[in-house]
Amino acid sequence: MNNTLSLEKEYFILKKIFIGLLLTLSVLFSTSSTTYASDYIFEINSNNAARMQEERIQEIYEERARVQSEMNEGYEEKLEELQKDLESLGVEFLTDSEVKSKLRATGQITPFVETPKSNNITWSSYRNPNWVLNGVKYEVQHLTAESNSKPSTLTDSQTISLQSSSSWKVGLQNFVLTAAKEGVSTINTGVGIALTVYDAVKSFISDSNFTKSTTVSNVKASYTTSFYETIDFMYVKKVGQQDKDQVLSFVTNSMTGKTSWVVPKFSYNKYNGATESVEHVTGTRSFDYKATGHRNGSFAVHAYVDPMFGSHSMVTRVQITGIEDQTVQTIIPRQYKVPGYVK
């Protein structure tokens, strides 16, 4: 009997010790995992100067896309000026032969691509060797594709006319609206269009009684939308390795464009019951959406270290609607995953 109690007592003691060890190991692994996650996120790019320079380069690329899409007077000179700004920050604009050399140097992608014919694409490159993750230093090279003034798959323009089917209050109806998607998720950052009919036409009407509750009818609008896609291919290697050891680890894109419109004529009801006609209303609005992590080298380093991180982040759709929520244009970006397909 005493032997049985002794064995039971020893069993419970051993059980408590075992559970204690499990709890201790659990805490240790939890702490280790938390520390690693913290390093994984925050030890990236400890060089603040390099970070600021890369952010400035990003801003200039975005401005180049806006200049391209708007094509205002003198835009070519502005593009040249922005190119010089990028070059002063270490960006190289590549010739056809340099792009071909880049493809040959990265054996991981050569079997899957054709050599780009770049007469309608502007290629540029920027290297940042200041990314640090868990004590290892990495270099990220950005190979960026932009459309130039010639037709390409990265740019397009379309015109459509829409006609209203009923009367409505100008303050309650959108004249033009954009929405962008990244996969199935809505992109909430960037510059989008959300303009009511009232805001679109009010500057063309001198009638002080024209308000957001004024009713309009017989609205016909002609919309022209143009867009430019910029794609950034990010290659990663450990600092000190040769270019042939680089891996194309992450690809992102951005969509920039504008929608212009002309309303030849529309009618609105005046306060005294009379009908007034307004002619030739025009306007333009720009939009600008970029995918999560666009031109962000930390995403490329994470993808290089962890294959489960993902290899791309893309704007997949830009939807533009006009009066009565009718479709103006549905833009489906090309979303190239390797540079050789860009044309």
Side-chain angles (χ1 to χ4, degrees):
M1 184 73 173
N2 290 336
N3 287 339
T4 302
L5 289 173
S6 177
L7 287 171
E8 288 179 350
K9 186 176 181 180
E10 288 178 5
Y11 169 78
F12 283 113
I13 290 172
L14 289 172
K15 185 177 180 181
K16 289 178 69 176
I17 293 172
F18 180 71
I19 292 171
L21 285 170
L22 285 177
L23 289 172
T24 301
L25 288 171
S26 175
V27 170
L28 286 173
F29 280 118
S30 174
T31 303
S32 174
S33 175
T34 302
T35 302
Y36 178 75
S38 176
D39 291 344
Y40 196 73
I41 296 170
F42 295 113
E43 202 184 339
I44 279 290
N45 199 355
S46 57
N47 188 321
N48 288 332
R51 184 198 300 268
M52 292 175 64
Q53 180 164 313
E54 189 150 294
E55 288 174 353
R56 178 57 185 149
I57 289 171
Q58 163 88 317
E59 291 171 357
I60 296 174
Y61 271 111
E62 290 174 3
E63 189 174 355
R64 279 172 62 87
R66 285 193 294 271
V67 170
Q68 282 270 41
S69 66
E70 293 171 2
M71 293 186 69
N72 294 326
E73 185 177 351
Y75 81 96
E76 291 177 328
E77 290 80 2
K78 181 62 176 178
L79 286 175
E80 290 180 8
E81 178 185 324
L82 292 171
Q83 177 170 328
K84 291 177 181 178
D85 290 342
L86 286 172
E87 290 172 335
S88 71
L89 293 170
V91 175
E92 297 178 274
F93 283 80
L94 307 177
T95 63
D96 287 353
S97 62
E98 287 171 328
V99 176
K100 293 174 185 177
S101 175
K102 172 64 185 169
L103 292 180
R104 285 196 299 270
T106 53
Q108 292 85 356
I109 65 170
T110 303
F112 307 108
V113 300
E114 299 174 357
T115 303
K117 295 177 175 59
S118 303
N119 64 332
N120 57 351
I121 301 294
T122 298
W123 292 93
S124 56
S125 169
Y126 174 70
R127 296 174 184 259
N128 184 348
N130 296 288
W131 294 99
V132 181
L133 179 60
N134 297 325
V136 181
K137 199 170 185 180
Y138 299 90
E139 177 182 281
V140 176
Q141 180 179 7
H142 299 263
L143 183 64
T144 301
E146 304 171 281
S147 182
N148 56 31
S149 57
K150 298 178 181 179
S152 79
T153 57
L154 298 184
T155 181
D156 197 7
S157 181
Q158 179 176 310
T159 298
I160 188 172
S161 292
L162 301 179
Q163 174 72 54
S164 64
S165 61
S166 61
S167 301
W168 20 261
K169 294 181 179 180
V170 291
L172 300 178
Q173 180 75 218
N174 280 323
F175 187 81
V176 62
L177 176 71
T178 64
K181 293 283 188 181
E182 183 177 318
V184 297
S185 303
T186 300
I187 297 177
N188 295 318
T189 58
V191 178
I193 305 170
L195 193 70
T196 66
V197 174
Y198 175 77
D199 291 326
V201 305
K202 63 181 179 180
S203 62
F204 293 84
I205 299 174
S206 58
D207 186 350
S208 61
N209 293 297
F210 185 84
T211 67
K212 292 182 179 180
S213 61
T214 299
T215 299
V216 299
S217 60
N218 194 32
V219 179
K220 183 178 181 180
S222 176
Y223 298 87
T224 299
T225 300
S226 58
F227 71 86
Y228 286 81
E229 180 180 8
T230 299
I231 305 180
D232 192 59
F233 302 91
M234 288 181 265
Y235 296 80
V236 180
K237 66 178 181 179
K238 294 178 181 178
V239 169
Q241 288 183 317
Q242 298 181 8
D243 276 4
K244 65 181 179 65
D245 298 317
Q246 285 185 143
V247 173
L248 175 58
S249 66
F250 205 73
V251 184
T252 64
N253 71 346
S254 65
M255 296 296 300
T256 305
K258 70 172 182 178
T259 296
S260 303
W261 56 85
V262 176
V263 180
K265 185 177 181 179
F266 74 93
S267 303
Y268 73 92
N269 296 332
K270 300 187 70 173
Y271 69 95
N272 60 2
T275 299
E276 184 74 19
S277 294
V278 180
E279 296 182 355
H280 199 67
V281 174
T282 61
T284 298
R285 287 293 185 277
S286 298
F287 59 86
D288 185 0
Y289 295 102
K290 53 180 178 286
T292 302
H294 184 56
R295 296 192 58 82
N296 188 329
S298 70
F299 281 72
V301 175
H302 286 154
Y304 177 84
V305 172
D306 180 6
M308 299 299 291
F309 185 84
S311 61
H312 60 272
S313 173
M314 293 287 188
V315 179
T316 55
R317 174 188 295 261
V318 178
Q319 185 74 39
I320 304 164
T321 54
I323 54 174
E324 298 181 349
D325 297 326
Q326 298 177 76
T327 298
V328 170
Q329 188 171 359
T330 301
I331 302 170
I332 306 296
R334 290 288 180 160
Q335 306 173 56
Y336 294 113
K337 303 302 191 302
V338 290
Y341 291 140
V342 181
K343 58 185 179 179

